[in-house]
Amino acid sequence: MITLSVIKADTGGFVGHSAVHPEMMRTAEAELQKRKDKGIIEDFCVGRVGDDIALIMTHRHGVDSELVHGIAWEVFQATTAVAKELKLYGAGQDLLKDAFAGTIKGLGPGVAEMEFEERPSEPVIVFLGDKTSPGAWNLPVYRMFADPFNTPGLVIDPKMHGGFDFEILDLRENKVARFHTPSESYDLLTFIGSPSRFVIRNVYQPGGTEPVATTSTQRLSLIAGKYVGKDDPVLIVRCQSGLPAVGEVLEAFTQPHFVEGWMRGSHCGPLMPVGFDQANTSRFDGPPRVVAYGFQISQGKLVGPRDMFDDPGFDKARQTALEMAEMMRRMGPFEPHRLPLEEMEYTAMPEVMRRVADRFKSAAPVVHGAARSR
Ligand code: F6R
Ligand code: MG
Ligand code: MG
């Protein structure tokens, strides 16, 4: 069995919240190389999107390994030290606690992991999103695994014809539930259509126990009880041979959809698929974007990455996303561009309300019909 762990954190931005400084990337690579040389991990790739560093690691320690989570914690301490030294923005932003205590979950970084038996050929895509939140994956993952207009394999490939099981997490109640598609698609859509509350956590083959796709489902705002940064999400998808083909998985990003995040974590904007060299969130601190790291896993080694959105085939999606961004930006501080109050990650509303509280008087009761004429 091999475990693929992707642990992602913002430990400092260059410049502002737009990107990661190359020195931080070098530090993360050097730290992971030391662990690989010692044989603690099989292989690694340091990925990036916007101001987030993603530690993509293969190892034999299973999911939720204290050892592997501890390594990620140490690497992020090292990148934070670089960020502090260069006075980069928000140094150590996602490290919410001072000390590591057995798991990195709940400490700030986003985590997606899966353990599986390596197939004769194992193509995997790791998606990294910035300036958005875990619910952003709901729509594309549904398209990949449940929509035959996106994934003809659901109709054509006998190995996929039985559909898939989706496990969703209720972020508010902290409960999980499993739904089979296509038979329970409408039930599933009832929930995942509200991505700020219900997020897809895992996808399985029918009745399966080994995930074929998994997401990071932390929400920093819920962890910390107040705004501490965006909970920029990770998605891992295994592809081919009875699973969606690489092209079917990527196709799910060709019709950009609106997600929560963008400027100040308080806006609705399109999720734009970009290549590695366009992974810098600059315009209005965005727009929200996704990069795709493609690998073939071979005896635990990460053969890759290939930049999967580096294809003119996605130019139209990028253009569409920009048009959607223009339309939204015209709304300025109005909904639906600005998120509804309860979804805004940090807001001046309570302070404004307090300051003008005594201006709000009881409105006169509305009087209708005969009563009014008296
Ligand atoms: C959104 C994000 C940025 C910041 C914004 C203000 O996830 O990280 O849009 O919210 O740049 O940042 P501060 O409050 O640090 O000045
Ligand atoms: Mg940041
Ligand atoms: Mg970020």
Side-chain angles (χ1 to χ4, degrees), residues 19-214:
V20 177
H21 193 279
E23 192 56 38
M24 293 171 74
M25 297 294 287
R26 283 194 285 272
T27 298
E29 275 157 16
E31 288 294 322
L32 287 183
Q33 186 65 49
K34 281 188 223 160
R35 274 65 172 198
K36 184 179 166 182
D37 292 345
K38 286 188 190 147
I40 306 173
I41 56 174
E42 290 285 330
D43 204 0
F44 70 89
C45 165
V46 179
R48 175 186 83 83
V49 62
D51 54 5
D52 304 322
I53 295 175
L55 310 177
I56 303 170
M57 299 173 279
T58 48
H59 56 89
R60 310 269 175 199
H61 307 290
V63 301
D64 285 327
S65 152
E66 181 169 350
L67 184 64
V68 174
H69 286 205
I71 290 172
W73 182 256
E74 286 158 21
V75 175
F76 290 139
Q77 296 293 334
T79 56
T80 298
V82 175
K84 284 188 174 153
E85 172 69 27
L86 299 177
K87 286 182 67 177
L88 299 176
Y89 197 70
Q93 176 181 293
D94 284 355
L95 308 184
L96 305 181
K97 304 270 168 65
D98 295 332
F100 177 74
T103 173
I104 204 156
K105 286 186 179 163
L107 301 187
V111 185
E113 301 182 286
M114 52 163 81
E115 186 179 34
F116 52 88
E117 204 65 64
E118 204 179 288
R119 294 172 293 168
S121 181
E122 188 62 66
V124 170
I125 304 178
V126 175
F127 294 95
L128 309 175
D130 190 36
K131 304 299 186 273
T132 183
S133 50
W137 304 132
N138 283 8
L139 194 153
V141 170
Y142 181 84
R143 278 196 189 128
M144 290 169 203
F145 287 93
D147 178 5
F149 285 79
N150 181 88
T151 302
L154 293 163
V155 180
I156 293 171
D157 182 347
K159 294 203 285 291
M160 289 172 71
H161 206 79
F164 289 93
D165 288 354
F166 288 69
E167 183 192 63
I168 62 167
L169 171 69
D170 178 344
L171 290 167
R172 204 175 298 161
E173 301 291 330
N174 201 29
K175 288 182 175 165
V176 291
R178 198 158 158 155
F179 295 90
H180 176 70
T181 59
S183 62
E184 298 176 318
S185 297
Y186 299 162
D187 290 341
L188 175 68
L189 285 165
T190 309
F191 296 103
I192 63 170
S194 289
S196 56
R197 173 150 177 201
F198 297 96
V199 296
I200 297 172
R201 189 158 82 161
N202 287 304
V203 181
Y204 301 93
Q205 286 176 317
T209 51
E210 217 175 62
V212 293
T214 193

Side-chain angles (χ1 to χ4, degrees), residues 17 51 89 93 131 227 229-230 262-265 285 346:
H17 292 280
D51 54 5
Y89 197 70
Q93 176 181 293
K131 304 299 186 273
Y227 178 81
K230 273 315 296 180
W262 208 350
M263 174 58 78
R264 298 177 184 275
D285 284 359
Y346 62 124

